[in-house]
Amino acid sequence: MAVLFVLCHGLALTLLPAAATVLSFCFLIAAPLLAGAACLWQGRRGAALGWQATALAMLLWASGMALNMADALHAGDPSSTPQISLLFYVAYGVPLVFVLARARRERWAISLIDALLAALLGVLFFLHTRYHANAGDAGMAGLRMMFDIQNVGIAAFALLRWACTDLPDRRAFFRVLAIYALAYLAVAGYINHVSEYSPFGLYADLLIDLPFLLLAVLALRAREPAPSRTRPRLRHAVQAGGPMILPLLLLVVATLVVDHQRYWALAGFVAAILGFGLRSMLLQVGLLERQAALDALARLDGLTGVANRRQFDAVLQAEWNRARRQGGALSLLLIDIDHFKRFNDTYGHPAGDRCLQKVAAVLQATAARGADLVARYGGEEFAVVVPAASPEKAHELGERLRLAVQAIPAGDLPQAVTISVGVAGAWPASPQPLEALLAGADAALYAAKRAGRNRVQTWVETGQEQGVPAGDG
């Protein structure tokens, strides 16, 4: 289809020379529109923002060509380019720079800042190109140089993004964009520097079709596996440095226009500094929020929301060391949901998960002291670390926990549940190690289960067991 498009363009110029200019303009407008449509189609699959931004760039370029066509038909000079067309040709690069400057994921506020900086960059770029367009041959040379800089920058950043991106859908997008940008750079360089004074309607126009048709073909066939060799350091450097692209370009272009557009240049300086600062602040807030979420995931059980086994081990060791250092007491409760396997087999795993969540919430609410730690010990077992509490006080807490679980409303779970609790305590003068405290609480728990469940049992160093019947307070 792409080859047929070029052949039809060439045949139209050959067979209808009287209408060659109009027909060529039509083909030059259709080519980027086809590329934009292909990008929108591919945008449904992955890296949607990148494909949509590229489609917008194609629409802007086609609009510039359409205005160029209207001016040529009105003025009768197919070799001139009006300033309004220059605006669209300049704006064509803004969405591409925007998507190249973005990191992998951004919140909407950061995206809005990037969009505003990119829009202001386009305005300053247009002001600079309009100034050069009115400055004779020397100005046109500067104008062509500015377009070369824009095209080289887009191609270079696209290649860098392609080399450093690890996600397959984004890697496929940057691969397509890089190949297109290189083709566009080559064609634009030829048109701007070799056939710069040639009017539209000649065979050189066929070259202009090529990068857009290439983009359409590549967009429709975009597939890219994950890279076999990762470059984490380079990838992280590119992701971290990407947000600097827009502010730096804005500063550079503002410097170029400061002699003829002072107030716009000042706006560019202020926007670059404030925009980058505000963007960095929002990014830092997001990083802190993600770090807090990761810390919570490392410390909390994903199902019940109480502390996980890793957090339990760390807190128990820290409290043990503090009790030894300061001469305080330390107690430990191990809790098991009675007949949980039967409950799970009868009502299914979703009901079992709800049971674990409900029991954990009740334990967390009942162990009200801020220093107490409720943790999921494993499976249907929970643990409570009770600093600065004697075994007697811990036993009382165990009773409160048992009664609270027993009082869970009937409508919350398919059937009533109970718990068995083993209590163990440590004293500063005791020579027992931490493992003995865990073993004691475990022994007391199994004693409570052997005694009929739904009760609290306390372990003492003498090896004896002291228990309280299920109905006692």
Side-chain angles (χ1 to χ4, degrees):
M1 294 294 293
V3 172
L4 182 61
F5 186 97
V6 177
L7 289 177
C8 290
H9 191 172
L11 285 174
L13 299 181
T14 302
L15 300 178
L16 300 169
T21 300
V22 175
L23 292 174
S24 189
F25 271 122
C26 292
F27 278 98
L28 294 177
I29 294 170
L33 291 179
L34 288 174
C39 291
L40 288 177
W41 181 86
Q42 185 59 244
R44 303 176 306 165
R45 305 171 62 91
L49 181 62
W51 292 112
Q52 292 166 3
T54 307
L56 176 60
M58 298 300 105
L59 178 61
L60 291 171
W61 201 96
S63 300
M65 185 58 67
L67 292 170
N68 211 153
M69 173 182 175
D71 183 79
L73 295 178
H74 177 73
D77 183 5
S79 63
S80 65
T81 301
Q83 289 189 2
I84 187 63
S85 295
L86 286 177
L87 172 61
F88 282 89
Y89 292 141
V90 168
Y92 145 85
V94 172
L96 300 181
V97 173
F98 170 77
V99 77
L100 288 171
R102 285 175 53 83
R104 181 176 298 177
R105 300 179 183 90
E106 301 287 8
R107 58 177 62 190
W108 70 268
I110 294 180
S111 298
L112 178 60
I113 293 172
D114 287 343
L116 292 176
L117 293 180
L120 183 56
L121 176 65
V123 172
L124 294 181
F125 205 165
F126 169 68
L127 293 174
H128 191 58
T129 54
R130 187 179 66 175
Y131 173 77
H132 279 289
N134 296 326
D137 292 339
M140 291 304 296
L143 179 61
R144 288 190 291 270
M145 182 61 67
M146 287 297 296
F147 278 114
D148 290 341
I149 292 173
Q150 180 187 34
N151 296 334
V152 169
I154 291 173
F157 285 126
L159 285 171
L160 194 58
R161 283 291 196 183
W162 177 24
C164 302
T165 301
D166 54 346
L167 293 180
D169 58 339
R170 288 176 60 82
R171 184 172 169 82
F173 165 72
F174 285 123
R175 171 180 174 271
V176 170
L177 185 58
I179 296 175
Y180 158 76
L182 289 173
Y184 185 89
L185 173 64
V187 171
Y190 176 82
I191 296 298
N192 290 336
H193 296 281
V194 177
S195 60
E196 51 186 301
Y197 296 110
S198 299
F200 288 100
L202 301 179
Y203 289 110
D205 294 353
L206 302 181
L207 292 175
I208 305 177
D209 294 335
L210 298 181
F212 301 111
L213 297 175
L214 176 63
L215 174 59
V217 172
L218 292 175
L220 294 175
R221 301 169 58 88
R223 297 291 187 278
E224 181 79 13
S228 57
R229 296 181 59 188
T230 60
R231 309 172 183 87
R233 185 178 296 273
L234 181 59
R235 183 173 68 250
H236 295 160
V238 171
Q239 290 176 355
M244 297 178 62
I245 295 175
L246 279 172
L248 286 178
L249 287 177
L250 199 55
L251 289 174
V252 170
V253 179
T255 303
L256 294 175
V257 304
V258 70
D259 58 338
H260 53 278
Q261 293 289 344
R262 182 173 303 174
Y263 293 110
W264 278 106
L266 180 60
F269 291 136
V270 173
I273 296 172
L274 292 182
F276 183 73
L278 183 58
R279 191 188 195 285
S280 300
M281 184 188 72
L282 293 174
L283 185 60
Q284 185 67 19
V285 170
L287 290 175
L288 292 175
E289 291 175 349
R290 284 194 289 271
Q291 184 62 46
L294 290 175
D295 291 342
L297 287 175
R299 294 183 293 104
L300 300 181
D301 177 64
L303 177 63
T304 63
V306 298
N308 59 17
R309 179 62 182 271
R310 177 184 298 178
Q311 178 72 357
F312 164 78
D313 291 338
V315 170
L316 182 61
Q317 184 65 59
E319 293 296 340
W320 175 269
N321 293 337
R322 183 163 60 178
R324 286 289 174 265
R325 188 171 58 251
Q326 298 178 358
L330 175 65
S331 293
L332 173 66
L333 285 71
L334 289 184
I335 302 166
D336 185 83
I337 301 177
D338 297 330
H339 302 297
F340 180 77
K341 185 178 185 304
R342 183 194 305 169
F343 182 99
N344 215 29
D345 292 342
T346 302
Y347 301 106
H349 290 290
D353 290 344
R354 289 198 304 273
C355 177
L356 291 171
Q357 292 168 343
K358 189 64 181 178
V359 170
V362 170
L363 296 178
Q364 188 82 286
T366 307
R369 290 198 320 167
D372 298 343
L373 176 77
V374 178
R376 188 178 180 188
Y377 192 67
E380 71 273 20
E381 290 190 3
F382 294 87
V384 182
V385 179
V386 192
S390 65
E392 292 78 15
K393 292 293 184 182
H395 189 101
E396 294 174 3
L397 174 61
E399 271 299 319
R400 293 198 302 273
L401 295 175
R402 184 186 67 80
L403 294 174
V405 171
Q406 186 174 274
I408 293 176
D412 291 358
L413 295 172
Q415 70 174 46
V417 295
T418 59
I419 59 173
S420 298
V421 183
V423 180
W427 297 267
S430 172
Q432 64 175 349
L434 177 59
E435 289 74 14
L437 180 66
L438 286 165
D442 192 59
L445 173 62
Y446 278 95
K449 295 169 71 173
R450 287 195 304 270
R453 294 183 170 85
N454 190 23
R455 64 186 63 238
V456 182
Q457 203 82 9
T458 301
W459 171 84
V460 294
E461 285 187 88
T462 60
Q464 299 173 344
E465 294 160 358
Q466 295 176 345
V468 177
D472 291 356

